[in-house]
Amino acid sequence: MDQAPVTPLSQLPARDRVSALAVAGGDADLAAELFAALLAGLPDELAALRTEVAASDWEGLAELAHQVRGATRYCGVPALDEAAESLERAARAADPPRVAAAFANLEAEARRVQQADD
């Protein structure tokens, strides 16, 4: 499948520890646990999303992207959260070129988040 060029969301941080800590009510251990769970689940979530993209299952893709956002909202990963939201919107619009670009962005942001793990 041809993909549209990736538009980096680099203006947003890959990881925002202050936001993650605030969401976790100031509990650094909880924030770290949520982030670790996000990292652990990303490979499987990306694979599932890739399957939906390949099948052009826009409804399934939108639902999966929405589920990914359920995790990204609580982990202080604003660029990845925005990429997941963009993918969800593109899937709901059933727009293949937009979906391809949004999925490429999501993969790029997932790599940034994985590299931000220190």
Side-chain angles (χ1 to χ4, degrees):
M1 162 179 25
D2 290 333
Q3 293 185 344
V6 174
T7 304
L9 297 170
S10 57
Q11 67 275 13
L12 295 172
R15 189 166 181 201
D16 181 347
R17 287 178 175 84
V18 172
S19 173
L21 191 60
V23 169
D27 185 337
D29 289 336
L30 177 58
E33 184 180 316
L34 290 170
F35 185 71
L38 174 75
L39 287 178
L42 267 178
D44 289 340
E45 289 173 337
L46 288 171
L49 289 165
R50 190 174 297 110
T51 297
E52 298 297 330
V53 170
S56 299
D57 179 355
W58 309 132
E59 186 177 327
L61 178 60
E63 182 57 36
L64 281 174
H66 183 76
Q67 289 173 15
V68 169
R69 286 204 70 217
T72 59
R73 285 184 207 132
Y74 298 103
C75 294
V77 289
L80 183 60
D81 184 56
E82 178 64 31
E85 181 180 13
S86 178
L87 179 59
E88 181 182 353
R89 285 191 313 257
R92 292 199 189 284
D95 183 338
R98 209 169 120 202
V99 164
F103 183 68
N105 278 334
L106 183 77
E107 288 183 308
E109 293 309 324
R111 284 190 297 276
R112 281 182 66 210
V113 166
Q114 290 164 330
Q115 293 167 357
D117 179 30
D118 50 23

